[in-house]
């Protein structure tokens, strides 16, 4: 599997260019044309798909793609016509959105957010009985750091200084190495930070970014939007989605020979959609590779709290590089973190940050300029990011309840990951690596030739064909592996482990029954 010939890599790059879910969705969501053949809006609009930015057409984001659009349509039908389908609810296993699937927010975090947003109640006597003492104290501390104590006001473009101090202290405590609050850029989740770095690094299509395959589609989408070239390196499914330095070297040399100037390496740890957790010695090899080749290391570390196996531990790339003796002058490193993942799962609060190290002062000024164009990230997200990096400590009133909530969520996720992984591996023609971390499983489908031919006749990738049939039969929403990239000739889908634990048996039974019927229908 590892010996992937050059034309396969070229085919994969071409497939990212050809597929355009944005284009598909635009048309799938259009109303039916009027009897005259064209609506007045269509006939008079100066904007057409031929005149918009072609980079937008090239961009795709499979996580919210065609199958999700269809699922939303089915959900509306279930509401207006109960009993119209062989299932009574849609189970969205397509995206890491924990609260939408019933996960409860962390009490301490929400108490502090509520008090900061409505500070007038801090002085009321009844507040003492409704909120924990440490949440009240933390809210006062945070409000004192905000000019005018106004969460509805703009902040510094990098984020509120006091909150960046707190985050830097949390990073230092995690890694055992100092962190500078001036290196922290608070953003509306990790995604804007990724876009910001792509905007900085990509100047033309000859600029390339090394990305893992499979990858989180944010990276292919942002590279496309900013006009660069995705340079794929393939993770090894046979070794638990291992990242081999020999593969990085091969793809780097291939890109150079094609005239592509590779600017950065993206590493997702823990992996999305693949769920692997990198070993520290592997991370050291990656750091050495980036240092030797002069590449910016873009470390997606948003699942750092989501580790489910006893023999693996999260190590930030900053910690690894500093423990190797490398400092600011040795390697350029950007670490991404988000409040959307972990045990907190606060996707809708849109909080996150990037820590930017190893860049010259004049380049840092340009990063700040780009950040300032967006004015600032939202204040609730900033506050939440500081809480994630500085949760209750031993001795605080909320510590025991906080710890119980955190451990309850993470242990449940670990159980769900195992149950679903075992279920996938029990199915005919399905193999699935263990989810060591993150929120997903990425099983491989070994489909009968008749199913592949049926998919071709339907003008769909085989895994998209399977996922659509799964949705129509069961109401379960998964994402075809073709949206993440995969070794050509292999087929997968991504499934989250996020449905609540009491719903997992229903997911397993529905999926098992569907798969058995599917394989029987298309048996060679």
């Amino acid at each position: 599997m590892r010996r992937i010939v050059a034309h396969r890599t070229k085919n994969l790059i071409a497939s990212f260019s050809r597929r355009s879910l944005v284009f598909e969705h635009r048309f799938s969501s259009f109303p039916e044309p009027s009897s005259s053949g064209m609506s007045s809006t269509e006939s008079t609009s100066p904007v057409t798909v031929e005149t918009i930015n072609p980079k937008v057409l090239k961009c795709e984001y499979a996580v919210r793609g065609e199958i999700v659009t269809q699922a939303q349509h089915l959900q509306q039908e279930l509401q207006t016509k109960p009993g119209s389908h062989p299932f009574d609810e849609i189970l969205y296993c397509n995206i890491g959105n924990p609260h939408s699937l019933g996960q409860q927010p962390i009490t301490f975090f929400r108490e502090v957010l509520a008090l900061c947003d409505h500070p007038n109640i801090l002085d009321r006597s009844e507040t003492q009985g409704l909120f924990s003492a440490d949440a009240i104290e933390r809210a006062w501390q945070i409000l004192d750091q905000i000019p005018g104590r106004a969460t509805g006001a703009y902040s510094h473009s990098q984020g509120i200084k006091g909150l960046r101090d707190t985050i830097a202290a949390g990073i230092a405590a995690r890694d055992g190495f100092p962190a500078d609050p001036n290196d922290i850029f608070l953003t509306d989740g990790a995604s804007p930070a990724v876009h910001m770095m792509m905007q900085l690094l990509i100047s033309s299509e000859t600029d390339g970014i090394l990305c893992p395959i499979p990858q989180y589609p944010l990276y292919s989408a942002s590279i496309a939007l900013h006009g660069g070239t995705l340079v794929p390196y393939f993770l090894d499914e046979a070794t638990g989605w291992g990242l081999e330095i020999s593969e990085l070297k091969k793809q780097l040399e291939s890109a150079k020979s094609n005239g592509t100037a590779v600017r950065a390496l993206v590493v997702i740890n823990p992996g999305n959609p693949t769920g692997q957790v990198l070993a520290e010695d592997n991370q050291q090899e990656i750091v050495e590779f980036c240092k030797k080749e002069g590449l910016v290391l873009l470390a997606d570390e948003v699942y750092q709290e989501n580790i489910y196996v006893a023999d693996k531990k999260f190590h930030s790339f900053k910690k690894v590089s500093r423990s190797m003796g490398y400092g600011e002058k040795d390697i350029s490193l950007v670490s991404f973190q988000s409040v959307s993942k972990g045990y907190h799962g606060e996707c809708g609060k849109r909080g996150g940050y990037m820590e930017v190290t190893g860049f010259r002062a004049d380049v840092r000024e340009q990063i700040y300029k780009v950040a300032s164009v967006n004015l600032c990230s939202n204040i609730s997200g900033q506050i939440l990011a500081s809480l994630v990096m500085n949760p209750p400590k031993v001795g605080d009133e909320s510590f025991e309840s906080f710890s119980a909530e955190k451990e309850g969520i993470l242990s449940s996720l670990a159980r769900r990951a195992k149950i679903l992984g075992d279920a996938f591996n029990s199915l005919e023609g399905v193999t699935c690596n263990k989810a060591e971390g993150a929120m997903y499983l990425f099983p491989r489908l070994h489909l009968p030739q008749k199913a592949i031919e049926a998919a071709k006749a339907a003008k769909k990738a085989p895994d998209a064909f399977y996922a659509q049939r799964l949705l129509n039969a069961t109401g379960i929403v998964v994402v075809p592996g073709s949206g993440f990239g995969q070794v050509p000739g292999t087929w997968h889908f991504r499934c989250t482990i996020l449905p609540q634990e009491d719903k997992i048996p229903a997911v397993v039974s529905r999926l098992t029954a569907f798969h058995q019927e599917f394989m029987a229908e298309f048996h060679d």
Side-chain angles (χ1 to χ4, degrees):
M1 184 179 292
R2 300 299 298 150
R3 298 181 181 275
I4 299 163
V5 295
H7 79 272
R8 282 184 168 183
T9 300
K10 291 178 181 177
N11 287 345
L12 181 72
I13 296 172
S15 73
F16 277 117
S17 300
R18 288 194 302 269
R19 294 193 312 271
S20 178
L21 295 179
V22 173
F23 183 88
E24 287 183 20
H25 303 158
R26 185 180 303 272
F27 280 93
S28 66
S29 61
F30 271 171
E32 292 295 322
S34 64
S35 57
S36 62
M38 182 177 290
S39 72
S40 59
T41 301
E42 289 175 321
S43 63
T44 61
S45 173
V47 182
T48 68
V49 291
E50 288 78 22
T51 61
I52 65 173
N53 187 339
K55 296 172 186 174
V56 174
L57 294 177
K58 187 177 179 182
C59 166
E60 62 176 81
Y61 189 67
V63 173
R64 291 180 181 267
E66 179 183 7
I67 288 174
V68 179
T69 302
Q70 184 180 351
Q72 292 167 343
H73 177 70
L74 291 176
Q75 188 170 28
Q76 291 177 347
E77 289 186 349
L78 287 173
Q79 292 171 348
T80 57
K81 302 175 184 177
S84 57
H85 295 282
F87 45 85
D88 56 9
E89 66 175 331
I90 302 294
L91 289 171
Y92 287 97
C93 298
N94 62 299
I95 192 169
N97 193 13
H99 291 193
S100 73
L101 292 170
Q103 180 175 309
Q104 295 303 299
I106 298 297
T107 302
F108 177 80
F109 293 170
R110 287 298 185 90
E111 285 188 355
V112 175
L113 285 173
L115 291 166
C116 287
D117 272 339
H118 193 27
N120 289 341
I121 66 174
L122 279 166
D123 290 323
R124 294 182 183 176
S125 58
E126 58 266 34
T127 300
Q128 308 296 325
L130 294 172
F131 295 84
S132 60
D134 53 340
I136 294 171
E137 181 181 1
R138 185 71 68 87
W140 277 120
Q141 291 173 356
I142 290 172
L143 287 168
D144 285 342
Q145 297 166 346
I146 301 175
R149 294 181 174 174
T151 59
Y154 289 135
S155 75
H156 186 282
S157 292
Q158 282 184 242
I160 295 164
K161 175 61 165 59
L163 300 182
R164 287 186 283 123
D165 289 339
T166 299
I167 292 169
I171 293 171
R174 181 195 67 193
D175 293 344
F177 292 95
D180 185 345
N182 293 318
D183 292 338
I184 307 296
F185 288 76
L186 287 161
T187 51
D188 289 323
S191 298
V194 170
H195 279 288
M196 200 181 303
M197 292 313 303
M198 295 304 177
Q199 195 170 19
L200 181 83
L201 295 170
I202 295 171
S203 58
S204 73
E205 64 182 0
T206 60
D207 288 323
I209 308 293
L210 271 164
C211 284
I213 298 298
Q215 53 97 33
Y216 176 43
L218 165 66
Y219 293 97
S220 55
S222 60
I223 292 168
L225 281 173
H226 296 294
T229 296
L230 185 148
V231 179
Y233 67 89
F234 292 84
L235 302 177
D236 186 359
E237 186 169 11
T239 60
W241 299 112
L243 194 166
E244 296 183 8
I245 299 301
S246 60
E247 171 70 4
L248 292 179
K249 291 178 179 177
K250 182 177 77 172
Q251 300 299 347
L252 176 64
E253 291 307 313
S254 176
K256 286 180 178 178
S257 69
N258 292 327
T260 299
V262 180
R263 307 295 306 280
L265 168 68
V266 173
V267 180
I268 308 174
N269 181 45
N272 177 8
T274 46
Q276 83 283 7
V277 179
L278 296 178
E280 189 173 8
D281 57 351
N282 193 191
Q283 291 182 264
Q284 291 171 347
E285 294 176 327
I286 294 165
V287 169
E288 288 285 9
F289 174 77
C290 287
K291 181 178 182 296
K292 178 182 177 182
E293 301 295 342
L295 301 178
V296 177
L297 177 51
L298 301 176
D300 184 329
E301 299 176 336
V302 303
Y303 296 99
Q304 59 190 258
E305 298 276 4
N306 299 97
I307 310 291
Y308 308 128
V309 291
D311 61 337
K312 291 290 183 76
K313 184 179 179 181
F314 171 77
H315 300 280
S316 75
F317 271 101
K318 184 185 172 191
K319 174 186 176 181
V320 171
S321 63
R322 297 298 182 262
S323 67
M324 295 170 68
Y326 296 144
E328 292 269 350
K329 295 181 180 180
D330 300 305
I331 184 169
S332 297
L333 170 64
V334 183
S335 303
F336 303 106
Q337 170 63 314
S338 172
V339 306
S340 300
K341 309 306 177 185
Y343 57 89
H344 22 85
E346 293 274 13
C347 302
K349 296 299 183 185
R350 309 312 300 135
Y353 66 82
M354 61 179 179
E355 183 186 17
V356 179
T357 60
F359 288 78
R360 291 171 26 155
D362 53 352
V363 176
R364 287 284 298 272
E365 290 176 3
Q366 299 305 309
I367 298 173
Y368 176 76
K369 180 175 70 177
V370 173
S372 67
V373 170
N374 296 319
L375 296 176
C376 70
S377 60
N378 80 88
I379 304 304
S380 292
Q382 292 189 33
I383 293 170
L384 192 50
S386 76
L387 296 174
V388 166
M389 296 306 293
N390 184 27
K393 304 292 193 296
V394 175
D396 293 341
E397 181 182 324
S398 296
F399 176 74
E400 289 188 7
S401 61
F402 163 78
S403 298
E405 290 175 350
K406 175 182 175 180
E407 176 57 29
I409 291 168
L410 292 176
S411 61
S412 177
L413 287 170
R415 290 192 297 270
R416 286 177 255 175
K418 185 178 187 310
I419 293 170
L420 284 170
D422 289 346
F424 289 140
N425 281 314
S426 73
L427 300 177
E428 177 190 359
V430 178
T431 55
C432 185
N433 283 319
K434 178 191 296 186
E436 298 176 333
M439 295 178 172
Y440 317 99
L441 289 160
F442 199 62
R444 179 176 176 181
L445 297 167
H446 303 264
L447 296 173
Q449 186 59 36
K450 286 183 180 178
I452 294 172
E453 291 171 358
K456 184 177 180 181
K459 298 182 179 180
K460 292 186 179 295
D463 48 11
F465 178 75
Y466 181 93
Q468 186 172 61
R469 292 281 295 258
L470 174 66
L471 170 63
N472 290 336
T474 69
I476 297 172
V477 188
V478 298
V479 187
S482 44
F484 299 88
Q486 52 199 343
V487 172
T490 68
W491 312 107
H492 302 77
F493 63 85
R494 190 186 80 165
C495 179
T496 74
I497 60 173
L498 294 176
Q500 288 300 290
E501 204 162 351
D502 61 353
K503 290 186 179 294
I504 293 295
V507 173
V508 171
S509 62
R510 287 193 208 177
L511 196 146
T512 300
F514 162 79
H515 186 80
Q516 291 172 344
E517 292 176 5
F518 182 92
M519 296 298 281
E521 179 181 352
F522 294 103
H523 195 275
D524 290 329

